[in-house]
Amino acid sequence: MIHAYENYLTKVKQASSNTVSSYLRDIRQFSEWLSEAGVNSIVDATQLNISDYLSQLEDGGRSRSTVSRSLASLKNFYAYLVSSGFLEKTPVVDIHIERGEKKLPMILTGREIELLLAQPVCIEPKGFRDKAMLEVMYATGIRVSELIDLNVDDVNLEQGTIKCSGNKKSRSIPLYPVALQALSIYLRDIRDTMVSGGSEKALFVNVSGSRMSRQGFWKI
C-alpha cells in the first residue's frame, strides 16, 4: 500500500523527490509506531491512534512544525487510500495541531559569505568541486536540491549560464565571472577524474563518482 502510494506521488502527482521522501518517512514512522502499539496494519489505524501518535511526537520534543508535517502526510496518505478504494473513510478527522510561530530565515552578513566562499581549499579535487558548488549557489540563488539535480548538459560555459529545472519550470540563469571561472576549472580539470563512469550525467559528484546527495552536500 505504501509502495502504491509512492508510485502515485511520483507518477501521477509528479511530486518532487524531497516531497516524496518526506511523506514516506512520516508514514513509515507512523506504521512502525502502530506495530509497536499492536495494530497489525496501517489501514486499521483509528482517529485515536493518530491523535496518540501525534501527542507522543510532541511529548518527545518534536517541534510543532514537524508534528504538523506528520499530520499533513498522514492526511494525504489516508485521502489517497479512500480515493483508491483501500478504505471507506479516513481516520484523520477533527485532528488539529496549533501552528508554531514562523521563524524568520537567518541571513548571512557580507563578511560571513566571504568566509564561507573562502573555505574550500583548492588543492585536491574535492576542494575545486566544493568551490564550484558554493560559487554557483551564491551566484544563482538556487536551492540545494536544484544544485545537485544539475547535469553537465545544463551548463553553457560559452554563454556563462546554467539551466535549472526546479519546480517543473526550466530557466536559464547567468553566472558572475568568479562563479563561471570556478565552474569552468571544475569541469575542465576535475570532474572527469572523479566520475565513476562515462555514463554519469550529474554535474556535481561525490568521492565515489556518483551524483552528490543532499545529505552529502550538508555534510560538506
Side-chain angles (χ1 to χ4, degrees):
M1 228 166 300
I2 295 178
H3 182 65
Y5 182 55
E6 181 179 5
N7 286 335
Y8 168 75
L9 289 175
T10 55
K11 297 178 181 177
V12 179
K13 297 292 287 184
Q14 293 186 327
S16 69
S17 58
N18 291 338
T19 298
V20 174
S21 175
S22 177
Y23 277 10
L24 295 181
R25 181 175 62 249
D26 291 338
I27 293 164
R28 285 176 177 137
Q29 286 176 351
F30 176 60
S31 180
E32 291 172 4
W33 181 87
L34 283 175
S35 296
E36 293 174 1
V39 180
N40 294 327
S41 174
I42 200 166
V43 298
D44 297 326
T46 64
Q47 178 189 15
L48 181 59
N49 290 143
I50 295 171
S51 294
D52 286 347
Y53 173 68
L54 297 175
S55 295
Q56 186 168 312
L57 289 180
E58 285 188 318
D59 293 342
R62 299 293 181 90
S63 67
R64 282 185 179 177
S65 60
T66 297
V67 179
S68 294
R69 191 203 65 219
S70 296
L71 174 58
S73 297
L74 293 175
K75 186 176 182 179
N76 289 328
F77 174 63
Y78 281 107
Y80 161 77
L81 293 184
V82 172
S83 65
S84 300
F86 291 109
L87 277 177
E88 290 186 6
K89 60 181 182 179
T90 175
V92 188
V93 181
D94 296 329
I95 300 175
H96 305 285
I97 302 294
E98 289 186 17
R99 293 187 178 273
E101 291 184 10
K102 243 186 175 179
K103 294 181 180 178
L104 293 174
M106 183 183 70
I107 306 298
L108 296 180
T109 66
R111 178 57 179 158
E112 287 171 333
I113 291 171
E114 290 176 4
L115 290 171
L116 176 63
L117 295 177
Q119 287 304 303
V121 179
C122 295
I123 298 176
E124 296 183 350
K126 290 189 296 182
F128 287 96
R129 177 204 61 195
D130 296 350
K131 176 71 172 175
M133 286 196 300
L134 289 176
E135 290 288 356
V136 167
M137 279 196 73
Y138 182 56
T140 61
I142 61 176
R143 298 187 296 270
V144 173
S145 56
E146 293 173 323
L147 179 79
I148 62 175
D149 281 345
L150 290 174
N151 292 325
V152 174
D153 291 343
D154 294 324
V155 178
N156 189 322
L157 294 177
E158 290 184 5
Q159 294 182 7
T161 61
I162 61 168
K163 183 178 71 175
C164 180
S165 303
N167 288 334
K168 302 179 183 178
K169 293 180 181 179
S170 181
R171 60 196 192 277
S172 180
I173 309 175
L175 299 171
Y176 56 69
V178 175
L180 181 59
Q181 181 184 31
L183 186 56
S184 298
I185 292 172
Y186 168 71
L187 275 173
R188 186 185 67 230
D189 303 328
I190 305 301
R191 182 185 174 277
D192 286 349
T193 68
M194 298 182 72
V195 292
S196 56
S199 61
E200 180 58 66
K201 297 179 180 179
L203 175 59
F204 294 112
V205 296
N206 56 30
V207 292
S208 299
S210 54
R211 186 179 297 274
M212 175 75 65
S213 67
R214 290 178 77 247
Q215 293 84 354
F217 177 88
W218 287 116
K219 267 187 179 180
I220 295 168

